[in-house]
């Protein structure tokens, strides 16, 4: 739990530091940074991770100095903060593996030099002296306490002098008694509730706490007015306890209460009990291991399959009761399936959150001014998709920063703002998520792409001459292609894009690249919401049944022989004003040597339309995707398998793999048999 919450706190602190860098004069952002650093320090200290706690405390000192205007958040100071965040993250990773917590001696020395160089704090801001050592404050409180003891005429002094009677009648060694302490916070101090909890923790070390007034809930909600009372059963000397609490930051007074807590009070509970009680009442989420969710999804998948089988079996039975029961089962199964899939969905923010820091560091390293704008972080995706998406987006963002955004001087000459903007957005379109990475840089040089493609033999001169700009732009995602004249440590336009495209297609998605020279470049990824249960079109080819995901399907039509034309030995049809090649699955899948079927499925693959010709359309159905055996995974056009209601196994066709396979298949067909050509290869040609 410590590792999980510490990681969350470090990520939040990192995000707020990025905000502070953009808005150095915003006191709310500074306070938020301070709060996160304080929380991390408290968690680490509680778990006795001393080095992490000290580093977080050192950050507090610097943040306090920024808040009191004694330190400016210069780039050097911000770099130091980010170094602290990275170090605390690595420390947390180490202790997660049950290894000793590493030290950060050099970093602490650097921070100490920075703190020692700070000017003294004005007298009026006494409680916010981060550069002072805690011991100095304790000594000061000692002096104040003694001074008050000498002035019994003042009411406050009487209360603070209260420990004296206790000392007159000391308890036997080891004997416990209940002592009440009323604690008053410094008026206007930052985070009074957090400081109050620290004081309660300090008292708890001395013994068992009997009662707190107001309640813990009110203190945590900052509804206690800066004053609270704690009764503790302890054998510790009272003056030692008072001094220990008084030395804490933000504490103004600590006085003894003579009256014991009343028994009739309705909430005589300890803070130890109060904390779990609060947790019991307010548990809003439960952490579950992913493998348990996978097992649950598998069970739901089997339930769906058996529901379909029952529906098939019941078709021959004329029983109203059975039909009604099956309808209820279908409704409940669908609802269960929907809820299980929702459990696996997580916000895309999990991936997006690490990119602002990455873009900031990368742009600084290469001397560019870049602003990252993120939109749609609340969009949810299946966890299996999220896990693989992060690395893919890293490639795209690095490419945009290094080769999309121009240097500041070039942007100014071109009449653009000095700071380049990269927009990372996510939006949901039906059952897919569309993710865009767009930069307002110099765009893509189509002439240079065509020249490189010709040099590398990726396209012929004839192909390049008839190719549109959008088609030429997408050559960037060809394996091994790059427009860079020399290799850099980051990327060339094209380096890594083939891996991104392959990764996206392995997730059942697609990637396209759009650009306007001198203006912008946009990379668009379309992904399914989930990979576990999909809606598919079932088709029959020969005696076999295949499943095709609904996502790339535009329309299904029937075609007649009179509609089929031949261009260059390739069969095509005219569909809504476009010439669309025909891809006969009977021939491509080697079910038959003949081109069978008159039912066509219009699909869009790689921005090109293709007509898949099958013998029979069996309709749409939700299917549970099952992984293939390692030998079958080598078949390029297969994306999995499913079990039908009849108990039969149907193979799922991967459209992108099918298009690539078709292109190679067409090349293998002898030139003297043009009638046998299917036209599937032209989907990407």
């Amino acid at each position: 739990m410590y590792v999980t919450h510490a990681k969350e706190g470090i990520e939040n602190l990192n995000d707020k530091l990025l905000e502070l860098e953009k808005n150095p004069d915003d006191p709310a952002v500074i306070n938020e940074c301070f709060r996160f650093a304080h929380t991390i320090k408290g968690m680490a200290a509680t778990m006795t991770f001393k080095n992490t706690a000290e580093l977080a405390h050192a950050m507090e000192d610097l943040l306090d100095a920024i808040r009191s205007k004694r330190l400016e958040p210069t780039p050097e100071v911000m770099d130091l903060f980010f170094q602290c965040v990275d170090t605390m993250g690595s420390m947390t990773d180490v202790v997660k593996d049950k290894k000793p917590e590493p030290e950060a001696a050099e970093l602490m020395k650097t921070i100490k030099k920075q703190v020692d160089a700070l000017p003294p704090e004005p007298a009026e801001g006494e409680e916010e002296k981060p550069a002072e050592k805690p011991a100095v404050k304790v000594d000061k409180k000692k002096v104040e306490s003694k001074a008050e003891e000498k002035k019994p005429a003042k009411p406050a002094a009487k209360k603070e002098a209260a420990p004296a009677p206790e000392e007159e009648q000391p308890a036997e060694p080891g004997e416990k008694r209940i002592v009440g302490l009323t604690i008053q916070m410094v008026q206007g101090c930052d985070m009074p509730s957090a400081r109050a909890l620290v004081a309660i923790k300090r008292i708890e070390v001395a013994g068992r706490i009997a009662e707190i007034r107001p309640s813990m809930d009110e203190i945590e909600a900052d509804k206690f007015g800066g004053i609270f009372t704690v009764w503790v059963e302890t054998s510790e000397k009272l003056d030692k306890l008072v001094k220990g609490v008084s030395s804490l930051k933000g504490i103004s007074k600590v006085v003894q209460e003579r009256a014991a807590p009343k028994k009739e009070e309705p909430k005589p509970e300890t803070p130890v009990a109060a904390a779990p009680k609060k947790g019991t009442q307010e548990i809003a989420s439960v952490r579950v291991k992913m493998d348990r969710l996978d097992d649950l999804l598998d069970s739901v998948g089997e339930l769906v399959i058996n529901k379909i089988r029952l529906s098939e079996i019941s078709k021959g039975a004329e029983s109203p009761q059975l039909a009604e029961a099956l309808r209820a089962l279908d409704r409940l199964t669908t609802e269960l399936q929907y809820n299980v899939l929702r459990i696996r969905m997580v916000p895309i923010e999990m991936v997006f959150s690490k990119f602002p820091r990455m873009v900031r560091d990368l742009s600084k390293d290469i001397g560019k001014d870049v602003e990252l704008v993120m939109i749609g972080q609340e969009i949810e995706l299946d966890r299996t998709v999220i896990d693989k998406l992060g690395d893919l987006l890293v490639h795209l963002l690095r490419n945009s920063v290094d080769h999309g955004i121009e240097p500041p001087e070039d942007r100014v000459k071109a009449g653009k703002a000095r700071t380049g903007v990269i927009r990372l957005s996510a939006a949901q379109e039906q059952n897919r998520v569309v993710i865009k990475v767009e930069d307002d840089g110099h765009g893509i040089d189509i002439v240079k792409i065509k020249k490189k493609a010709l040099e590398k033999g990726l396209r012929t001169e004839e192909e390049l001459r008839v190719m549109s700009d959008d088609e030429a732009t997408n050559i960037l995602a060809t394996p091994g292609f790059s427009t860079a004249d020399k290799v850099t440590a980051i990327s060339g336009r094209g380096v890594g894009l083939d891996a991104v495209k392959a990764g996206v297609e392995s997730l059942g998605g697609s990637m396209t690249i759009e650009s306007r020279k001198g203006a912008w470049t946009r990379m668009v990824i379309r992904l399914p919401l989930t990979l576990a249960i999909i809606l598919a079109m079932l088709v029959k080819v020969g005696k076999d049944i295949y499943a095709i995901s609904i996502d790339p399907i535009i329309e299904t039509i029937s075609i007649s022989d009179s509609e089929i034309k031949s261009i260059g030995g390739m069969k095509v049809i005219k569909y809504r004003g476009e010439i669309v090649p025909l891809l006969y699955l009977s021939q491509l899948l080697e079910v038959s040597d003949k081109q069978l079927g008159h039912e066509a499925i219009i699909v869009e693959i790689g921005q090109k339309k293709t007509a898949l010709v099958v013998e029979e359309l069996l309709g749409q159905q939700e299917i549970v995707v099952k992984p293939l055996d390692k030998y079958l995974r080598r078949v390029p056009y297969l994306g999995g398998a499913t079990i039908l209601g009849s108990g039969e196994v149907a193979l799922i066709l991967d459209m992108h793999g099918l298009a690539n396979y078709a292109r190679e298949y067409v090349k293998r067909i002898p030139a003297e048999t043009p009638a046998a050509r299917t036209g599937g290869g032209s989907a990407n040609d």
Side-chain angles (χ1 to χ4, degrees):
M1 286 185 70
Y2 164 74
V3 169
T4 300
H5 289 293
K7 281 286 188 183
E8 288 176 0
I10 291 169
E11 287 176 11
N12 290 332
L13 178 56
N14 182 79
D15 293 343
K16 286 298 173 185
L17 287 172
L18 289 170
E19 281 189 42
L20 178 61
E21 193 170 39
K22 294 179 181 178
N23 306 293
D25 297 323
D26 190 337
V29 176
I30 298 173
N31 287 336
E32 282 290 292
C33 292
F34 190 95
R35 183 170 68 84
F36 285 125
H38 184 80
T39 302
I40 295 166
K41 180 186 76 173
M43 287 190 293
T46 302
M47 296 297 293
T48 68
F49 294 127
K50 179 184 174 185
N51 298 331
T52 303
E54 287 181 349
L55 190 53
H57 182 68
M59 285 191 73
E60 278 188 294
D61 289 346
L62 291 178
L63 287 165
D64 224 0
I66 291 175
R67 183 168 52 189
S68 60
K69 305 297 184 183
R70 294 179 296 125
L71 179 66
E72 290 294 325
T74 61
E76 294 74 21
V77 171
M78 294 309 300
D79 286 343
L80 186 59
F81 279 142
F82 286 121
Q83 193 178 349
C84 291
V85 168
D86 293 341
T87 303
M88 288 192 294
S90 61
M91 285 176 167
T92 308
D93 289 334
V94 170
V95 299
K96 178 183 178 182
D97 298 330
K98 308 290 176 64
K99 296 177 182 177
E101 185 188 27
E103 294 184 356
E106 291 302 317
L107 183 56
M108 290 298 293
K109 285 180 184 177
T110 304
I111 296 173
K112 187 177 184 302
K113 287 180 182 177
Q114 188 79 51
V115 172
D116 291 343
L118 293 174
E121 191 173 4
E124 59 268 23
E126 229 171 57
E127 31 274 337
E128 300 189 9
K129 292 185 179 179
E132 292 182 6
K133 301 296 180 187
V136 177
K137 278 195 170 182
V138 172
D139 291 339
K140 186 172 182 180
K141 292 293 181 181
K142 284 181 181 178
V143 175
E144 288 178 356
S145 180
K146 289 178 181 178
E148 293 293 340
E149 286 174 10
K150 294 177 182 179
K151 299 176 183 178
K154 293 185 179 180
K158 280 186 179 179
K159 287 186 179 179
E160 290 197 331
E166 292 287 340
E167 298 304 325
E168 289 171 6
Q169 297 178 350
E172 293 294 326
E175 182 182 342
K176 293 185 177 181
R177 75 279 191 205
I178 293 180
V179 177
L181 299 178
T182 293
I183 300 165
Q184 183 175 335
M185 314 297 296
V186 173
Q187 188 173 5
C189 72
D190 293 311
M191 298 178 296
S193 59
R195 298 187 191 280
L197 292 175
V198 172
I200 292 171
K201 281 288 183 184
R202 170 63 186 87
I203 296 171
E204 193 176 3
V205 172
R208 184 184 69 83
I209 293 180
E211 187 179 348
I212 300 174
R213 295 180 191 166
S215 67
M216 285 286 287
D217 288 344
E218 291 174 291
I219 291 174
E220 290 183 354
D222 202 5
K223 296 179 180 178
F224 64 103
I227 301 176
F228 61 98
T229 303
V230 181
W231 280 274
V232 58
E233 184 180 4
T234 179
S235 58
E236 187 174 314
K237 289 186 177 181
L238 190 57
D239 61 342
K240 181 180 177 183
L241 182 57
V242 169
K243 289 173 184 176
V245 177
S246 299
S247 67
L248 297 174
K249 191 173 183 179
I251 304 299
S252 174
K253 291 180 182 179
V254 181
V255 296
Q256 180 189 359
E257 286 292 334
R258 292 184 177 277
K262 296 178 181 179
K263 299 295 182 183
E264 65 270 18
E265 288 291 332
K267 296 181 181 178
E269 296 167 354
T270 71
V272 179
K277 185 185 104 173
K278 177 182 180 294
T280 304
Q281 291 176 340
E282 297 186 8
I283 288 178
S285 62
V286 178
R287 297 182 185 274
V288 180
K289 292 183 178 179
M290 276 303 296
D291 56 356
R292 295 185 183 179
L293 290 180
D294 292 338
D295 292 342
L296 178 59
L297 186 62
D298 286 341
S299 299
V300 172
E302 295 297 328
L303 183 61
V304 171
I305 291 169
N306 281 280
K307 177 202 72 174
I308 298 170
R309 290 196 65 185
L310 281 173
S311 298
E312 293 289 330
I313 294 169
S314 69
K315 286 180 180 178
E318 296 181 1
S319 170
Q321 292 88 352
L322 178 60
E324 184 181 349
L326 284 172
R327 281 195 297 271
L329 177 63
D330 181 65
R331 177 174 53 80
L332 292 171
T333 306
T334 302
E335 188 176 335
L336 177 62
Q337 173 187 318
Y338 172 73
N339 287 330
V340 170
L341 289 176
R342 279 184 62 199
I343 291 172
R344 291 169 55 91
M345 304 288 270
V346 291
I348 205 168
E349 183 183 11
M350 283 188 62
V351 177
F352 281 15
S353 60
K354 64 181 180 181
F355 294 142
R357 173 71 187 283
M358 184 197 80
V359 170
R360 179 253 182 202
D361 291 346
L362 180 59
S363 59
K364 188 173 181 182
D365 289 344
I366 60 179
K368 293 182 180 180
D369 294 337
V370 182
E371 178 186 0
L372 177 64
V373 178
M374 299 190 297
I375 304 168
Q377 299 178 71
E378 72 282 355
I379 298 296
E380 293 186 334
L381 271 172
D382 190 289
R383 181 59 186 258
T384 53
V385 180
I386 285 282
D387 289 341
K388 298 177 182 178
L389 181 61
D391 292 337
L392 304 180
L393 290 178
V394 165
H395 280 290
L396 298 186
L397 288 169
R398 288 171 69 88
N399 198 289
S400 290
V401 172
D402 190 35
H403 294 282
I405 301 294
E406 314 96 322
E409 299 77 16
D410 294 350
R411 290 182 63 85
V412 172
K413 288 178 183 177
K416 295 182 179 180
R418 182 180 179 84
T419 301
V421 177
I422 297 177
R423 294 184 183 276
L424 176 60
S425 64
Q428 187 170 337
E429 293 181 1
Q430 297 179 346
N431 60 340
R432 296 182 79 78
V433 168
V434 179
I435 300 168
K436 298 178 183 178
V437 178
E438 183 177 359
D439 65 68
D440 65 347
H442 51 59
I444 294 173
D445 189 338
I446 303 298
V447 175
K448 190 173 184 179
I449 287 177
K450 290 184 175 181
K451 181 182 176 182
K452 287 280 184 180
L454 190 62
E455 288 176 2
K456 293 177 178 288
L458 299 174
R459 294 290 188 274
T460 65
E461 193 170 342
E462 175 65 22
E463 288 175 325
L464 292 171
R465 187 167 59 252
V466 299
M467 189 177 288
S468 68
D469 286 353
D470 284 344
E471 290 173 320
T473 301
N474 281 274
I475 295 177
L476 283 171
T478 305
F481 185 85
S482 173
T483 59
D485 296 320
K486 61 179 181 179
V487 177
T488 71
I490 300 169
S491 65
R493 262 297 192 210
V495 168
L497 293 184
D498 60 317
V500 175
K501 186 175 182 182
V504 169
E505 291 176 357
S506 72
L507 294 172
S510 62
M511 186 185 89
T512 56
I513 305 171
E514 306 165 3
S515 182
R516 292 295 176 270
K517 188 176 179 182
W520 52 266
T521 301
R522 182 188 301 127
M523 302 184 193
V524 184
I525 293 175
R526 290 178 172 84
L527 291 170
L529 290 174
T530 179
L531 303 179
I533 298 176
I534 64 172
L535 185 62
M537 173 70 73
L538 299 182
V539 301
K540 197 167 186 180
V541 182
K543 296 180 180 179
D544 300 325
I545 297 175
Y546 293 90
I548 300 171
S549 173
I550 287 293
D551 292 334
I553 296 178
I554 299 173
E555 189 177 357
T556 59
I557 59 174
S558 295
I559 56 174
S560 61
D561 292 337
S562 62
E563 295 177 285
I564 301 174
K565 307 297 179 183
S566 182
I567 299 177
M570 197 170 293
K571 291 192 174 182
V572 299
I573 61 169
K574 193 170 184 180
Y575 169 76
R576 301 189 185 280
E578 292 185 55
I579 301 299
V580 177
L582 296 179
L583 180 63
Y584 285 88
L585 290 186
S586 60
Q587 200 173 47
L588 187 63
L589 301 179
E590 300 180 9
V591 173
S592 171
D593 293 333
K594 299 179 181 179
Q595 298 175 345
L596 304 175
H598 289 86
E599 301 293 335
I601 304 172
I602 309 298
V603 296
E604 189 169 36
I605 309 171
Q607 292 184 309
K608 288 288 187 179
K609 293 182 178 65
T610 301
L612 306 180
V613 184
V614 300
E615 293 178 66
E616 188 179 352
L617 298 173
L618 302 179
Q620 298 181 22
Q621 183 177 301
E622 280 191 332
I623 61 172
V624 179
V625 180
K626 298 286 186 181
L628 293 171
D629 178 87
K630 62 180 180 179
Y631 297 107
L632 287 175
R633 287 178 200 161
R634 299 174 185 172
V635 182
Y637 52 80
L638 295 182
T642 189
I643 301 173
L644 303 176
S646 60
E648 296 177 82
V649 174
L651 294 173
I652 302 170
L653 297 178
D654 174 12
M655 288 294 99
H656 291 278
L658 189 67
N660 293 332
Y661 179 74
R663 186 172 64 243
E664 297 301 319
Y665 178 84
V666 169
K667 290 179 181 177
R668 294 198 304 267
I669 296 176
E672 62 269 16
T673 58
R677 300 186 65 170
T678 68
S682 64
N684 284 344
D685 288 347

